Amino acid sequence: MQAVKITDKVYWVGAIDWNIRDFHGYSTKKGTTYNAFLVLGEKPTLIDTVKKEFYGEMMARIKSVIDPKKIQIIISNHSEMDHSGALPQAVAEIEPKEVYVSAMGMKDITAQFHQNLNLKVVKTGDKIEVGGDTISFVEARMLHWPDSMFSYLEKEDVLFTNDVFGMHYATSKLFDDENEERLWLYEAEKYYANIVLPYSDIVLRFLDQVTKMGLSPKIIAPDHGFIWRKDPSKIVKLYAKWAAQAPKNKAVVLYDSMWGSTEKMAVQIAEGLRQGGTEVKQLSMHSCHRSDVATELLDSSALIIGSPVLNSGIFPAMADVLCYLKGLRKKGLVGAAFGSYGWNGAPVDELTKMLEGMGVQVVAPAVKSLFVPDETVLASCRELGLTISKEVAKKLQ
Ligand code: FEO
């Protein structure tokens, strides 16, 4: 295992997880990387670690450039286990003089490992000398955890941003200029939609703050995906765009079906939207993963949800995805509900309440079908699509 040189002083010493396909409920079809970084100098410094299962890979890469015992400082920018999981082992083997964390990082890591890791708290504006260079800290609270922190290596002009600006994308090509945009753009967008979206207001404020600080690093090094060295502003601009959640003429029709009736309704709603001039994604929970639904919703202006009734409730797959989407707090959506039922249509109305609970502006009553939809019901579905399309058009004015 070899480290990968980023600058004369900075090396990538992380791990590539080619096989992970479920990242706490997020479908990672292309795997991921856990990036850790080694800063050489008089006080060699390790920035972040990896998921504990990959400790051996990280240490092997470190050993390819330095005796790990020479590392004097470890910085833990984020206490989620994919980055801090190997911290106790690293501290035990390396025996660094200091381990720097944010105040919330101290609380989190203490509660996770219940052992003395010699942690020291730093806050925004604090600086440490690392031998010929300086690392300054910027707390990035709620990007995406309360403890999240950035570290900036001043002379080398490298900003270590932890999860922010990352993506779940396993690659042996670790730099932006080695990867074709068509292969990574969806993964970057999916990562934003599933990890960062709830904190979009904070992203916008933070980007503004960073601009005012005059911070425009030559290299941005996140803890997942690749390192932005050719054009770091590219991912920053994408974050600004995704965080703004500007309305687009696009709708998602999301549903599950039991015997095909709710699907027949979905098809006609999608057709109404299409006839109204709105781009539509018709997503069945039979074939879609919740994290791909979230990605399609990121640039949509409408969410229309449908479910059949099962045991006096909505379908489990719909309950799953709606619970997930509620947590992601997508803004600016209009929507409505629909569904087929046998003898109790009330659960379809529950869908409308769920939309309201998600902050969606409901613009029409639910369309319900007693068993199989007839032509009258199907016409109502097309009309619902047209209505939603008009409401989306209003948002775009
Ligand atoms: Fe990649 Fe929040 O952990």
Side-chain angles (χ1 to χ4, degrees):
M1 292 285 181
Q2 292 279 316
V4 177
K5 191 172 183 179
I6 300 174
T7 72
D8 285 344
K9 280 192 167 180
V10 181
Y11 284 78
W12 175 85
V13 290
I16 306 173
D17 190 347
W18 296 99
N19 296 320
I20 189 168
R21 290 294 178 270
D22 184 340
F23 199 104
H24 56 52
Y26 172 148
S27 146
T28 45
K29 292 175 194 161
K30 295 189 175 173
T32 194
T33 64
Y34 311 110
N35 298 338
F37 304 96
L38 181 64
V39 181
L40 299 181
E42 289 164 35
K43 290 186 181 175
T45 299
L46 177 64
I47 299 180
D48 287 326
T49 67
V50 294
K51 200 173 175 181
K52 68 179 179 185
E53 291 83 356
F54 292 84
Y55 176 73
E57 183 172 338
M58 178 186 77
M59 290 306 284
R61 295 191 196 281
I62 291 172
K63 285 172 186 170
S64 73
V65 286
I66 191 176
D67 174 0
K69 288 283 186 192
K70 290 186 176 169
I71 294 173
Q72 294 192 25
I73 296 167
I74 297 180
I75 294 167
S76 178
N77 279 323
H78 180 30
S79 58
E80 194 161 5
M81 293 288 190
D82 49 331
H83 311 295
S84 66
L87 185 62
Q89 283 171 282
V91 170
E93 182 170 346
I94 293 170
E95 298 180 316
K97 289 183 179 159
E98 274 120 14
V99 179
Y100 291 105
V101 294
S102 67
M104 284 304 294
M106 164 79 93
K107 191 175 165 192
D108 292 356
I109 289 171
T110 302
Q112 285 166 350
F113 301 115
H114 306 287
Q115 56 184 280
N116 181 8
L117 295 173
N118 193 25
L119 305 179
K120 282 195 174 175
V121 169
V122 286
K123 60 184 185 309
T124 296
D126 286 353
K127 294 173 186 277
I128 57 168
E129 296 306 314
V130 292
D133 208 334
T134 302
I135 290 177
S136 53
F137 298 99
V138 182
E139 289 168 88
R141 288 178 195 166
M142 298 318 298
L143 293 179
H144 68 123
W145 275 20
D147 69 296
S148 300
M149 181 170 81
F150 291 0
S151 301
Y152 177 54
L153 184 64
E154 295 185 353
K155 284 187 187 163
E156 292 294 285
D157 203 8
V158 183
L159 183 64
F160 302 94
T161 57
N162 198 263
D163 279 328
V164 179
F165 306 129
M167 71 184 81
H168 289 311
Y169 188 76
T171 175
S172 61
K173 298 173 180 174
L174 288 170
F175 298 97
D176 54 349
D177 48 281
E178 297 177 312
N179 291 275
E180 292 178 56
E181 183 175 310
R182 67 183 175 85
L183 297 176
W184 61 258
L185 187 56
Y186 179 82
E187 298 307 324
E189 192 169 3
K190 181 174 182 176
Y191 185 94
Y192 188 92
N194 285 274
I195 306 279
V196 189
L197 178 63
Y199 315 108
S200 290
D201 289 347
I202 299 169
V203 170
L204 291 172
R205 282 201 300 274
F206 192 78
L207 292 178
D208 189 46
Q209 181 192 341
V210 167
T211 303
K212 283 177 181 156
M213 289 165 74
L215 205 55
S216 179
K218 184 173 73 181
I219 295 172
I220 289 180
D223 275 5
H224 297 290
F226 40 76
I227 297 146
W228 305 90
R229 70 177 177 189
K230 184 185 176 193
D231 182 12
S233 72
K234 186 165 204 153
I235 190 69
V236 174
K237 284 177 190 161
L238 283 169
Y239 264 54
K241 178 182 136 184
W242 294 328
Q245 300 184 58
K248 183 182 166 188
N249 193 4
K250 177 182 171 187
V252 167
V253 178
L254 175 65
Y255 67 99
D256 204 341
S257 201
M258 192 169 169
W259 293 106
S261 292
T262 301
E263 183 155 76
K264 284 179 180 152
M265 299 173 80
V267 167
Q268 294 306 316
I269 291 166
E271 177 60 16
L273 282 156
R274 194 195 62 75
Q275 288 177 10
T278 298
E279 177 189 355
V280 59
K281 295 286 180 179
Q282 185 188 314
L283 306 178
S284 162
M285 288 312 296
H286 257 65
S287 53
C288 289
H289 192 274
R290 65 177 86 82
S291 54
D292 289 313
V293 172
T295 312
E296 289 296 349
L297 201 58
L298 178 62
D299 65 353
S300 297
S301 298
L303 174 64
I304 307 98
I305 57 173
S307 176
V309 175
L310 177 69
N311 298 329
S312 301
I314 62 169
F315 242 41
M318 287 305 295
D320 174 312
V321 71
L322 293 175
C323 174
Y324 187 74
L325 295 178
K326 185 177 182 181
L328 292 173
R329 307 201 293 270
K330 165 78 175 116
K331 288 184 177 175
L333 293 170
V334 296
F338 64 100
S340 163
Y341 66 98
W343 52 95
N344 175 12
V348 181
D349 293 316
E350 278 301 311
L351 287 174
T352 300
K353 290 182 188 153
M354 291 172 86
L355 281 174
E356 289 168 347
M358 293 164 65
V360 176
Q361 182 194 348
V362 175
V363 294
V367 178
K368 293 188 276 189
S369 177
L370 179 60
F371 286 109
V372 179
D374 60 13
E375 272 309 314
T376 303
V377 172
L378 294 176
S380 298
C381 289
R382 283 192 296 280
E383 194 57 40
L384 176 62
L386 284 165
T387 299
I388 300 277
S389 190
K390 283 176 193 157
E391 292 294 333
V392 169
K394 280 187 209 166
K395 292 171 74 67
L396 296 171
Q397 285 171 356

